[in-house]
Amino acid sequence: MDVKELISSGKCALGIEFGSTRIKAVLVDTDGNPVASGGKEWENSLVDGIWTYSDEEIWQGLQDCYKDLKDNVKKEFGVTITSFSAIGFSAMMHGYLAFDKEDNLLVPFRTWRNTITGEAADVLTKAFDFNIPQRWSISHLYQAVLNKEPHVKDVAFFTTLAGYVHYKLSGLKVLGVGDASGMFPIDSKTGNYDDKMLKIFDMLMETQACEWNLEDILPKVLMSGEDAGKLTAEGAKILDPEGDLIAGIPMCPPEGDAGTGMVATNSVEVSTGNISAGTSVFAMVVLEKAMSKLHREIDMVTTPDGAPVAMVHCNNCTSEINAWVKLFGEFASLMGAEFDRGDMFTKLYGVALEGEPDCGGLLSYNYVSGEPVTGFLQGSPLFVRSAEDNFTLPNFMRMNLYSALAALKVGLDILTKEEKTTVKKMFGHGGFFKTPVAGQTMASAAIGSPVCVMTTAGEGGAWGMALLALYETVKDEYESLPDFLNKKIFANAEATELTASAEDIEGFDKFMTKYVRGLKVEQAAVDML
């Protein structure tokens, strides 16, 4: 069939992802190729000290995104969408959406961005002997308990944004294991919430006047490919108020944006991983087994099929680079020259390759905001050099690219050096990798492993969610999710693989020695400025 026939016969799969600034829909054919997309811009709001999206914004945003996809399909193919082979929803992980027995939202949606759960995160981390970050759903719930918020006694169910959307459209309180692993720790051996930690939490709650047990209010955990229900008639009307979409369409387990990023970069196999580098940066590595001990710098989540994943998440990446490029652009204008911003990034990233492996001794910290991995609650961008350092443009730009990855390397070194984790290959995606060679070289130098960038990586998490929806329809033909991705989706994918030279790797290590030593200088800048 051609694309028009596939769409009109309902054989395409749909993925919709709620990102922090954009809701995106991607429609794929039976081979996983994107054939149409739609989108809706949105932004969180700070209301009474809480970062949130209103309930109205969630549903209006979903409908606007779907309508944009529907209109684009009608315009390009002359077809009105009425059905799909499967549908899947994903969203920003973590956060807190709590409901009572009548499904009323008890408090406004508390997103992952909030840093108001420090006390709860510390208590739970100590009790579980397992790192529980502030953004995790269980941190939000327990902080509400510690704060003695009146709504806590009425909680009958809590979930993530993806789980909420899936529930409203299918009627099922379920969650993909990857997204669930950002709510509460998962035992990868059982593929369910960690039973020991569930019991510990309920012990912590014994003095509280709550009638619920934690396990009873968490969504059911599902692996990729498992039955997650069907689109109800009510759900079809929510998604498509115009009434063209039929009910009964299979739905796959809702997932988090970390899981869809793994799928979109084909990094769900053991010893593979991915680096997403843009305004913030995070790396995920699929482990053979759980880590030997607690590391506060590293989060433990899972792939959509339940394998343990170590995640290093850093708040700062390219913002300081962007600031310097903007400054160079202002200087160019002062001199009567105008340059395309994209060309400036290409040139400046490219010139970094000409810099000395250790940046000529130059040092910087890109901490526009705090950086938990290195212990900073607040940040102050800082550039430092001595009179003996070699201050050239190539060294300066290489320094900025190194600095964008330096905090990430602190966490990755714990994995590779302390935990002896093998990283065979990392897949890079995000703005840091848009310029050929430069971003890959620096990332490979940071981790000491090959870095691969695929042409499809730019399709993003909505495409990854669409692939999980497609997997729901063909799962019986493949041994596993990695088997499906390797044989069906990425068998002929175009990619560029690059390994940094021994000199570059040694140079990054030398930079990091100075970087770690200079954290005291960065702390002084924060304290004094």
Side-chain angles (χ1 to χ4, degrees):
M1 295 183 182
D2 62 17
V3 174
K4 181 177 179 178
E5 290 176 309
L6 287 172
I7 296 173
S8 60
S9 60
K11 297 188 183 304
C12 290
L14 174 66
I16 296 180
E17 180 159 286
F18 290 75
S20 57
T21 59
R22 189 165 189 254
I23 307 170
K24 184 177 181 181
V26 170
L27 193 64
V28 298
D29 64 18
T30 52
D31 291 321
N33 301 307
V35 295
S37 65
K40 166 67 175 178
E41 303 295 325
W42 74 335
E43 186 58 74
N44 56 188
S45 302
L46 188 63
V47 180
D48 297 328
I50 302 292
W51 288 106
T52 188
Y53 301 87
S54 70
D55 204 42
E56 181 182 355
E57 287 176 314
I58 292 170
W59 301 114
Q60 189 63 56
L62 174 63
Q63 291 171 355
D64 289 349
C65 175
Y66 181 80
K67 188 174 190 315
D68 189 47
L69 168 73
K70 185 178 175 182
D71 290 346
N72 290 339
V73 167
K74 181 70 172 180
K75 181 178 179 181
E76 184 170 355
F77 302 105
V79 174
T80 297
I81 297 174
T82 59
S83 186
F84 305 99
S85 60
I87 302 175
F89 294 96
S90 57
M92 304 165 274
M93 289 177 66
H94 319 299
Y96 183 67
L97 283 152
F99 306 87
D100 64 16
K101 292 179 180 179
E102 284 74 42
D103 289 340
N104 297 307
L105 186 62
L106 292 169
V107 291
F109 175 28
R110 298 172 181 178
T111 78
W112 64 273
R113 189 178 181 184
N114 290 287
T115 53
I116 55 175
T117 64
E119 181 184 3
D122 288 343
V123 171
L124 294 175
T125 295
K126 183 177 180 180
F128 294 165
D129 192 28
F130 184 98
N131 186 33
I132 304 295
Q134 285 202 49
R135 61 185 183 276
W136 280 33
S137 305
I138 192 62
S139 294
H140 284 275
L141 174 64
Y142 194 56
Q143 190 65 54
V145 171
L146 295 176
N147 293 346
K148 301 186 184 304
E149 295 186 38
H151 82 271
V152 170
K153 67 181 186 306
D154 298 319
V155 175
F157 172 58
F158 78 121
T159 188
T160 65
L161 179 55
Y164 178 37
V165 173
H166 185 94
Y167 170 55
K168 292 291 285 186
L169 271 64
S170 71
L172 297 184
K173 298 176 180 179
V174 299
L175 206 58
V177 64
D179 205 7
S181 70
M183 288 194 72
F184 191 86
I186 294 290
D187 181 350
S188 287
K189 294 179 181 178
T190 64
N192 209 335
Y193 301 113
D194 188 287
D195 187 61
K196 179 181 177 182
M197 296 183 199
L198 285 172
K199 289 181 171 61
I200 291 172
F201 186 88
D202 286 336
M203 289 175 61
L204 291 173
M205 291 293 295
E206 284 180 354
T207 60
Q208 307 298 323
C210 295
E211 298 180 0
W212 47 261
N213 291 322
L214 181 59
E215 191 171 14
D216 295 334
I217 65 173
L218 282 163
K220 180 182 178 181
V221 180
L222 297 177
M223 296 290 173
S224 57
E226 288 193 297
D227 180 14
K230 291 179 169 56
L231 183 69
T232 63
E234 181 184 10
K237 290 180 181 179
I238 292 174
L239 188 56
D240 181 20
E242 294 177 339
D244 295 311
L245 190 63
I246 65 171
I249 300 170
M251 296 180 68
C252 69
E255 264 300 345
D257 52 357
T260 58
M262 294 181 220
V263 171
T265 53
N266 194 25
S267 48
V268 297
E269 284 188 291
V270 170
S271 299
T272 65
N274 72 86
I275 299 177
S276 175
T279 304
S280 62
V281 61
F282 63 85
M284 294 179 287
V285 179
V286 186
L287 308 178
E288 291 186 27
K289 57 182 179 180
M291 292 189 297
S292 63
K293 62 180 181 180
L294 166 69
H295 297 282
R296 288 305 297 263
E297 301 88 348
I298 298 172
D299 302 350
M300 285 300 300
V301 291
T302 78
T303 63
D305 58 344
V309 174
M311 174 192 284
V312 181
H313 184 279
C314 303
N315 290 344
N316 303 283
C317 186
T318 60
S319 292
E320 186 66 357
I321 297 173
N322 296 344
W324 283 109
V325 172
K326 181 176 181 292
L327 184 72
F328 291 146
E330 291 175 356
F331 172 72
S333 296
L334 182 65
M335 299 302 293
E338 295 292 338
F339 299 104
D340 177 80
R341 185 170 170 82
D343 289 342
M344 289 183 65
F345 275 100
T346 299
K347 291 286 188 183
L348 289 168
Y349 269 64
V351 80
L353 294 169
E354 301 172 17
E356 297 171 60
D358 68 346
C359 310
L362 306 183
L363 180 64
S364 73
Y365 297 88
N366 66 334
Y367 295 3
V368 175
S369 63
E371 194 52 79
V373 170
T374 50
F376 283 79
L377 298 178
Q378 291 179 288
S380 176
L382 184 67
F383 167 48
V384 184
R385 69 183 180 95
S386 69
E388 293 78 23
D389 294 334
N390 190 12
F391 188 20
T392 67
L393 181 61
N395 283 340
F396 181 77
M397 287 310 302
R398 179 176 280 249
M399 172 204 72
N400 276 292
L401 267 62
Y402 276 11
S403 179
L405 300 173
L408 185 75
K409 181 170 172 58
V410 171
L412 288 175
D413 279 352
I414 293 172
L415 281 177
T416 58
K417 296 178 181 180
E418 292 187 35
E419 292 288 337
K420 308 299 181 186
T421 299
T422 299
V423 183
K424 296 178 182 176
K425 185 186 297 185
M426 293 287 275
F427 294 86
H429 56 113
F432 188 81
F433 297 101
K434 283 186 177 180
T435 300
V437 182
Q440 277 179 274
T441 299
M442 306 308 163
S444 180
I447 62 178
S449 299
V451 172
C452 183
V453 175
M454 293 185 286
T455 56
T456 53
E459 297 294 344
W463 180 56
M465 193 66 240
L467 295 181
L468 287 171
L470 177 61
Y471 179 59
E472 187 81 14
T473 70
V474 297
K475 59 193 176 188
D476 294 338
E477 302 174 25
Y478 298 92
E479 296 178 4
S480 62
L481 177 61
D483 187 50
F484 162 73
L485 294 174
N486 286 328
K487 293 179 179 178
K488 179 76 170 177
I489 305 302
F490 295 102
N492 299 307
E494 295 182 18
T496 302
E497 184 174 313
L498 186 151
T499 303
S501 67
E503 291 78 12
D504 285 335
I505 295 172
E506 183 181 353
F508 205 122
D509 286 341
K510 189 175 180 180
F511 172 85
M512 286 302 299
T513 298
K514 194 170 186 177
Y515 181 92
V516 172
R517 193 167 61 240
L519 286 170
K520 294 180 181 179
V521 182
E522 169 63 17
Q523 187 62 62
V526 172
D527 293 341
M528 301 304 294
L529 301 178

